[in-house]
Amino acid sequence: MQSEIKIADQIISKTAPTFIIAEIGINHNGSVELAKKLIDIAQTAGCNAVKFQKRTVEKVYSPEELAMPRESVFGMTNGDLKRGLEFSYEQYKEIDLYCKSKGILWFASCWDEESVDFIDQFNPPCYKIASASLTDDKLLKYTRSKGVPILLSTGMSTIEQIEHAVSILGKKDLLIFHCTSTYPTEHSEINLNVIGEFERKFDCLVGYSGHERGLIPTVVSVVKGAVAVERHITTDRTLWGSDQAASLEPGGLYRLVRDIRTLPQIYGDGKKIVYEREKPIIKKLRKV
């Protein structure tokens, strides 16, 4: 197993603090100002990075899909919505500079080769392969050609499909994320024991990308061995958008990061001792 993966100046490993990613995705709803608010929330909470999604709309969706009726603030078709959710180069440049000023990393999951080239202009520290793209061999090869670490999400994928993707990507600088692509994910669909199975089968570092309600499964994923976690974030779960309901609001994100950061202290060193604060209790309660 590769013992560590370096993401810019940060280390992901079994001994390093958990790498926490706040997935902004498309929850910015086409607004750079809202994206900045989400970056602020992630940075204040203590996340290591924020992640966006990038698509070349005409490459990812067919003309028929884009022409489908779908009412939104951007217009009356699915294409109006999809185009409205994509940032321009100038907007991403503003985001890039803002993240640098806040001292937080950012990267994206790119859904097509043209999007990989687009994001590559900003020298991302890594790329994420979305679960929907796991079976896109051409995209996997092209993303790997950029020479930076790859985070591979595995929702809606069989073990055979994941094996095939890993054979294309190789294991060097590869972090595999256990994920279930339901929004929100029911507890019966989370299956955190897959984390250990991935470690054994692929002999690599494993993370967890969660879409569930609440915080407990994500915290437990770290206990089960996840070295990195990812959760969608939002300012308000009632905002319009397909990912909002499965996202964490600011208070939830703060508590999640707090609880994950507390785990090493809770684990301790494994040596059973009598603590100083227990000694007065001994005098009070024991007869001998």
Side-chain angles (χ1 to χ4, degrees):
M1 178 190 295
Q2 183 171 336
S3 60
E4 65 179 39
I5 296 172
K6 191 170 185 180
I7 307 291
D9 61 348
Q10 301 188 43
I11 300 296
I12 300 178
S13 74
K14 281 287 192 180
T15 57
T18 307
F19 192 83
I20 302 177
I21 303 163
E23 160 101 49
I24 293 174
I26 54 175
N27 279 355
H28 52 71
N29 286 348
S31 166
V32 172
E33 291 309 308
L34 180 52
K36 287 181 177 179
K37 289 180 182 178
L38 292 166
I39 292 165
D40 287 342
I41 291 166
Q43 189 270 337
T44 302
C47 296
N48 300 86
V50 293
K51 187 183 82 68
F52 292 85
Q53 297 175 16
K54 183 70 181 81
R55 298 167 177 84
T56 307
V57 172
E58 284 72 20
K59 300 279 186 181
V60 174
Y61 302 100
S62 69
E64 293 76 20
E65 288 176 303
L66 294 176
M68 289 176 60
R70 188 173 183 181
E71 186 175 354
S72 72
V73 296
F74 301 109
M76 301 302 294
T77 69
N78 192 41
D80 292 332
L81 172 60
K82 299 302 183 184
R83 294 183 187 96
L85 291 173
E86 293 300 326
F87 286 144
S88 67
Y89 174 84
E90 290 73 21
Q91 289 171 313
Y92 265 117
K93 186 66 178 176
E94 190 174 349
I95 287 168
D96 181 56
L97 292 173
Y98 194 74
C99 285
K100 287 176 179 175
S101 74
K102 293 291 181 176
I104 190 168
L105 300 175
W106 79 275
F107 57 98
S109 52
C110 300
W111 290 53
D112 58 277
E113 293 92 327
E114 191 173 322
S115 290
V116 174
D117 285 338
F118 179 94
I119 294 296
D120 199 49
Q121 298 174 97
F122 302 100
N123 298 312
C126 60
Y127 283 100
K128 181 89 184 289
I129 302 292
S131 294
S133 303
L134 182 138
T135 56
D136 188 340
D137 291 4
K138 186 178 178 183
L139 179 61
L140 298 185
K141 292 174 183 176
Y142 195 75
T143 307
R144 175 52 91 186
S145 74
K146 297 300 180 179
V148 297
I150 300 290
L151 315 183
L152 176 67
S153 210
T154 58
M156 55 189 176
S157 302
T158 66
I159 197 70
E160 292 79 17
Q161 289 170 326
I162 299 167
E163 287 174 331
H164 179 71
V166 171
S167 73
I168 291 174
L169 292 168
K171 294 182 182 179
K172 185 178 185 301
D173 288 335
L174 176 67
L175 177 62
I176 300 178
F177 275 77
H178 170 48
C179 175
T180 301
S181 296
T182 52
Y183 302 81
T185 304
E186 299 295 338
H187 285 173
S188 60
E189 300 169 328
I190 293 172
N191 199 8
L192 291 179
N193 284 331
V194 170
I195 293 170
E197 180 61 21
F198 279 0
E199 286 182 330
R200 290 185 291 272
K201 190 169 191 64
F202 297 109
D203 191 32
C204 66
L205 295 173
V206 178
Y208 173 67
S209 178
H211 305 118
E212 70 272 5
R213 298 178 181 89
L215 310 178
I216 291 175
T218 304
V219 175
V220 174
S221 77
V222 178
V223 180
K224 300 290 284 185
V227 297
V229 297
E230 175 187 80
R231 290 293 301 269
H232 287 259
I233 65 169
T234 182
T235 57
D236 184 347
R237 283 196 298 271
T238 66
L239 291 175
W240 68 267
S242 57
D243 294 339
Q244 304 286 0
S247 301
L248 294 177
E249 292 176 329
L253 181 65
Y254 298 152
R255 291 192 295 274
L256 177 68
V257 175
R258 177 201 65 194
D259 291 350
I260 289 174
R261 299 297 185 217
T262 303
L263 285 175
Q265 184 179 4
I266 295 172
Y267 292 156
D269 61 9
K271 299 176 182 177
K272 177 59 181 166
I273 64 171
V274 176
Y275 291 95
E276 287 299 320
R277 289 185 352 107
E278 287 182 296
K279 291 178 181 178
I281 310 303
I282 293 174
K283 293 180 180 180
K284 180 179 177 181
L285 298 181
R286 280 189 174 158
K287 295 181 178 179
V288 294

